[in-house]
C-alpha cells in the first residue's frame, strides 16, 4: 500500500525531558479534574535522524512528532459560537496541526487566524430568497456584533432527533458542507488528506497522524463514524471525518456539476453531513465505516462496553471525541501532551512510529484519564446517573449510597434537588451547577473492568 510518510525523526532526549517539564507547568491552569496519575504522513520539516527544528521553546510535545505538511485540518464553525469555542483551540489543538482552514458564515480575522465565509460562492438569489439565509443576510449587514444575545450559544449540548431547528445558526449550518469541500480544495489544492472537525471535536493527534500514514491517500477515500438516515449512510460531522484529495475532487465535481440538485436536496433536509455523504455515494465514493475509532461522545460519558459488528470500543485506537466543552478540550489536550512527552523520554521518535504500545486506545483513556478521577464522592459534580429512585427527594447522600449498595449491578449514584439517581454503567461526568453530589462504587467498577474484553488480536487500526 502506498504511503506518503517520509522517514521519521529522532528526537533528542533533552527536548523530550524539557517538554515534560513545560507541560507539567502549563497544565497547572487546566481543568478542575484531578491531575493524572502518570506523570506521518506528508513531508516532515526535519531530516531523518535529526531533531525537529522547534523555534518556540514552549512548543508542545506533539510538534516533536514532525509536521505532516500533506495534511490540513478543516474546522467548520459559525458566528454564533466562534467567540466561545475557538479560543481554546488557538492555545491547544491548533499548536499541533500543521495547517488549518476555518470556515464560518462570516469572514473575519479571529485570534490572528483567517476565517473564511464558506457560503460566499452560493448563488445570490438563493441567499436572498431562502428563509434559512435570513441569519446570514443579517450577519453580512451588521457583523457578528449585530447578533442578539439569544442567538449566541457557547458550549455544545446534545441536539434533538432532527438537530437544533430552533437555532438560526444551526439551520444555516447544513448549507456549509458541500461548499466547504469545494473551497477547501481550492484553497489547499496541494494537500493529500483533509481532516474535518467542529469546535467541540477533539482529535487525538498522536494517533491520527499514525493512522493517516496507513491509508492510501492516492485513492478516493471517505472515513468517519457511520450514521444512517433512511437509506443514506454518511459520516457524522461533529465526530470528525477524513477525506483524501481524490475523494475531495470527486465531491467537488459532483457539487459543481449538479449544484441546483444538491441545493434543492439541502433545502428540504436538516443534516448537511447527510447531504455530503449522499453526494459522495452518488459519485462513487461510499463511506468507509470507521466506528469506534471516531466517537460521537466524549470520555466523560462514553459507554465503554459498546460494540458493533465485532468491533469493541474498548479495544480500538482512539481518533476523535465529540461534544467536549472548553475545559475538557484543555484537559484532554494536556493529558495527550503528557502521554507524548513521556513516550519520547522512553524512546525516540522512530520507535514511537513503529511500536504499537504507544498507540492510545479508548481503554487507555479510561484507565489513565477517567478512572483516576473517579472517587468515593465529589461535590458539585454530575456523573450522569439517570435512573431516578422514586420518593427520595429530600433524603440524603448516605441514603442514596445505601440504596446503590443494595441494588444489583449499581456502580454509581448521585444526589441532588430531585433526589437520588443510580446507574449500572460508569461515567466520569462533569461539573454541575445544580448542587449535585456524585459517588462511585470502586469495587463494582473494578469488577466490571475485569469483565471487559481482553482485546487479544483486536487492537489494530480500521483501514
Amino acid at each position: 500500500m502506498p504511503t506518503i510518510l517520509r522517514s521519521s525523526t529522532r528526537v533528542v532526549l533533552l527536548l523530550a525531558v524539557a517538554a515534560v517539564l513545560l507541560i507539567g507547568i502549563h497544565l497547572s491552569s487546566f481543568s478542575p479534574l484531578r491531575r493524572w496519575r502518570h506523570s506521518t504522513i506528508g513531508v516532515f520539516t526535519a531530516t531523518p535522524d535529526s531533531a525537529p527544528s522547534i523555534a518556540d521553546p514552549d512548543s508542545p510535545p506533539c510538534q516533536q512528532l514532525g509536521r505532516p505538511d500533506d495534511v490540513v485540518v478543516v474546522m467548520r464553525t459559525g458566528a454564533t459560537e466562534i467567540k466561545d469555542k475557538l479560543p481554546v483551540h488557538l492555545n491547544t489543538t491548533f499548536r499541533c496541526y500543521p495547517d488549518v482552514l476555518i470556515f464560518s458564515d462570516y469572514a473575519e480575522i479571529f485570534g490572528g487566524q483567517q476565517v473564511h465565509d464558506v457560503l460566499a460562492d452560493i448563488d445570490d438569489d438563493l441567499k436572498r430568497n431562502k428563509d434559512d439565509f435570513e441569519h446570514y443576510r443579517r450577519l453580512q449587514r451588521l457583523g457578528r456584533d449585530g447578533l442578539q444575545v439569544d442567538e449566541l450559544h457557547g458550549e455544545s449540548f446534545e441536539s434533538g432527533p432532527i438537530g437544533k431547528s430552533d437555532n438560526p445558526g444551526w439551520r444555516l449550518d447544513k448549507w456549509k458542507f458541500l461548499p466547504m469541500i469545494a473551497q477547501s480544495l481550492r484553497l489547499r489544492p496541494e494537500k493529500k488528506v483533509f481532516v474535518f472537525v467542529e469546535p467541540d471535536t477533539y482529535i487525538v493527534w498522536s494517533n491520527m497522524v499514525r493512522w493517516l500514514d496507513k491509508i492510501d491517500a492516492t485513492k478516493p477515500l471517505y472515513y468517519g463514524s457511520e450514521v444512517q438516515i433512511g437509506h443514506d449512510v454518511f459520516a457524522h460531522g461533529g465526530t470528525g471525518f477524513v477525506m483524501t484529495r481524490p475523494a475531495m475532487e470527486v465531491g467537488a465535481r459532483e457539487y459543481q456539476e449538479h449544484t441546483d440538485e444538491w441545493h434543492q436536496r439541502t433545502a428540504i433536509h436538516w443534516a448537511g453531513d447527510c447531504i455530503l455523504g449522499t453526494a459522495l455515494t452518488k459519485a462513487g465514493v461510499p463511506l468507509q465505516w470507521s466506528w469506534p475509532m471516531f466517537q460521537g461522545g466524549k470520555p466523560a460519558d462514553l459507554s465503554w462496553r459498546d460494540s458493533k459488528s465485532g468491533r469493541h470500543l474498548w479495544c480500538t485506537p482512539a481518533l476523535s471525541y465529540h461534544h467536549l466543552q472548553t475545559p475538557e478540550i484543555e484537559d484532554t489536550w494536556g493529558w495527550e501532551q503528557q502521554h507524548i512527552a513521556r513516550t519520547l523520554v522512553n524512546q525516540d521518535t522512530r520507535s514511537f512510529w513503529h511500536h504499537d504500545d504507544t498507540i492510545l486506545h479508548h481503554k487507555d483513556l479510561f484507565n489513565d484519564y477517567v478512572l483516576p478521577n473517579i472517587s468515593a464522592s465529589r461535590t458539585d459534580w454530575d456523573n450522569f446517573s439517570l435512573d431516578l429512585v422514586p420518593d427520595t427527594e429530600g433524603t440524603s447522600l448516605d441514603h442514596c449510597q445505601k440504596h446503590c449498595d443494595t441494588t444489583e449491578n449499581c456502580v454509581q449514584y448521585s444526589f441532588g434537588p430531585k433526589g437520588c439517581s443510580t446507574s449500572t454503567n460508569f461515567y466520569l461526568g462533569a461539573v454541575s451547577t445544580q448542587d449535585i453530589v456524585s459517588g462511585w462504587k470502586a469495587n463494582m467498577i473494578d469488577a466490571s473492568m475485569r469483565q471487559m474484553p481482553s482485546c487479544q488480536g483486536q487492537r489494530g487500526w480500521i483501514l
Side-chain angles (χ1 to χ4, degrees):
M1 177 179 293
T3 178
I4 53 175
L5 172 68
R6 291 187 178 178
S7 297
S8 55
T9 58
R10 184 178 301 274
V11 176
V12 178
L13 181 61
L14 180 59
L15 284 173
V17 173
V20 174
L21 296 175
L22 286 168
I23 288 297
I25 295 171
H26 188 61
L27 288 179
S28 63
S29 61
F30 278 2
S31 132
L33 295 182
R34 195 155 34 115
R35 289 302 89 199
W36 317 124
R37 289 178 179 170
H38 301 319
S39 196
T40 72
I41 188 172
V43 182
F44 283 77
T45 57
T47 57
D49 300 320
S50 68
S53 175
I54 302 175
D56 179 6
D58 295 325
S59 62
C62 59
Q63 292 185 12
Q64 299 182 37
L65 302 179
R67 305 293 279 172
D69 291 343
D70 285 346
V71 180
V72 59
V73 177
V74 183
M75 178 171 284
R76 190 189 80 263
T77 185
T80 62
E81 65 178 10
I82 193 170
K83 185 177 179 180
D84 294 301
K85 292 185 177 181
L86 189 57
V88 65
H89 289 281
L90 302 177
N91 296 321
T92 57
T93 64
F94 281 14
R95 299 174 68 194
C96 298
Y97 303 154
D99 189 17
V100 176
L101 280 173
I102 306 172
F103 290 113
S104 181
D105 36 34
Y106 181 69
E108 59 179 316
I109 303 294
F110 188 98
Q113 294 278 345
Q114 176 65 59
V115 179
H116 302 273
D117 178 1
V118 71
L119 303 171
D121 296 337
I122 289 184
D123 182 76
D124 287 338
D125 286 340
L126 182 66
K127 290 188 288 192
R128 277 194 298 266
N129 298 315
K130 277 290 179 188
D131 289 343
D132 286 342
F133 285 90
E134 191 280 329
H135 173 72
Y136 177 80
R137 294 191 294 268
R138 191 151 48 88
L139 264 176
Q140 310 316 305
R141 188 172 66 251
L142 301 176
R144 183 158 49 83
D145 292 338
L147 295 176
Q148 301 297 317
V149 173
D150 60 358
E151 294 177 285
L152 300 170
H153 58 96
E155 298 296 358
S156 293
F157 299 94
E158 281 289 350
S159 59
I162 57 170
K164 308 172 189 175
S165 56
D166 59 338
N167 185 287
W170 190 91
R171 290 196 302 272
L172 185 62
D173 187 69
K174 67 180 181 179
W175 293 93
K176 299 174 183 176
F177 283 82
L178 284 168
M180 175 177 67
I181 301 303
Q183 281 204 42
S184 295
L185 196 58
R186 185 173 70 248
L187 291 169
R188 297 293 190 274
E190 77 285 1
K191 299 299 181 179
K192 296 181 180 180
V193 179
F194 297 74
V195 180
F196 293 90
V197 300
E198 295 180 0
D200 59 350
T201 309
Y202 184 80
I203 296 296
V204 185
W205 189 248
S206 58
N207 275 357
M208 178 63 75
V209 290
R210 296 179 66 179
W211 174 69
L212 292 178
D213 185 47
K214 305 291 184 182
I215 70 174
D216 186 351
T218 67
K219 295 180 179 179
L221 299 174
Y222 166 48
Y223 291 95
S225 180
E226 60 275 8
V227 179
Q228 185 166 352
I229 298 179
H231 297 293
D232 298 321
V233 177
F234 59 97
H236 181 239
T239 302
F241 60 97
V242 171
M243 294 174 64
T244 60
R245 185 170 66 203
M248 297 282 290
E249 292 168 345
V250 169
R253 184 164 57 249
E254 172 65 28
Y255 174 54
Q256 291 162 350
E257 291 179 356
H258 307 282
T259 304
D260 289 344
E261 174 189 347
W262 290 109
H263 284 172
Q264 289 171 13
R265 291 193 184 212
T266 303
I268 61 175
H269 211 288
W270 61 270
D273 44 7
C274 181
I275 295 296
L276 171 60
T278 304
L280 289 168
T281 300
K282 182 175 182 290
V285 184
L287 175 69
Q288 304 289 319
W289 291 33
S290 309
W291 188 94
M293 293 193 305
F294 294 86
Q295 280 298 308
K298 55 187 176 181
D301 62 11
L302 286 183
S303 295
W304 299 96
R305 297 187 182 94
D306 277 358
S307 63
K308 182 169 57 177
S309 302
R311 296 176 180 174
H312 295 279
L313 179 150
W314 186 251
C315 301
T316 309
L319 290 185
S320 75
Y321 297 102
H322 187 215
H323 290 307
L324 278 78
Q325 298 186 22
T326 291
E328 293 170 315
I329 290 173
E330 289 180 324
D331 209 50
T332 309
W333 183 82
W335 176 81
E336 187 186 3
Q337 299 314 299
Q338 289 181 328
H339 163 76
I340 297 170
R342 292 189 182 93
T343 299
L344 295 180
V345 166
N346 295 323
Q347 53 190 294
D348 60 28
T349 312
R350 187 187 304 277
S351 298
F352 179 89
W353 286 97
H354 296 289
H355 286 186
D356 288 346
D357 60 1
T358 61
I359 298 172
L360 283 171
H361 294 72
H362 291 293
K363 71 182 187 69
D364 297 320
L365 272 90
F366 177 82
N367 289 327
D368 296 348
Y369 180 97
V370 174
L371 195 57
N373 289 285
I374 290 176
S375 58
S377 65
R378 298 187 68 165
T379 58
D380 299 322
W381 193 269
D382 184 358
N383 64 7
F384 307 147
S385 297
L386 299 179
D387 298 329
L388 185 64
V389 181
D391 303 321
T392 56
E393 184 176 355
T395 56
S396 66
L397 179 65
D398 288 342
H399 181 273
C400 188
Q401 180 180 354
K402 290 176 182 177
H403 180 85
C404 183
D405 289 339
T406 57
T407 301
E408 186 178 7
N409 298 324
C410 179
V411 297
Q412 65 178 46
Y413 53 92
S414 65
F415 183 78
K418 294 182 180 180
C420 175
S421 296
T422 62
S423 176
T424 56
N425 289 317
F426 40 85
Y427 303 103
L428 175 58
V431 173
S432 172
T433 58
Q434 300 179 3
D435 195 25
I436 295 176
V437 182
S438 294
W440 296 264
K441 293 174 63 177
N443 60 329
M444 291 292 294
I445 294 176
D446 289 342
S448 296
M449 300 305 301
R450 288 193 293 271
Q451 298 173 9
M452 297 297 279
S454 66
C455 301
Q456 188 68 30
Q458 299 182 43
R459 300 183 63 184
W461 304 106
I462 297 170
L463 299 174

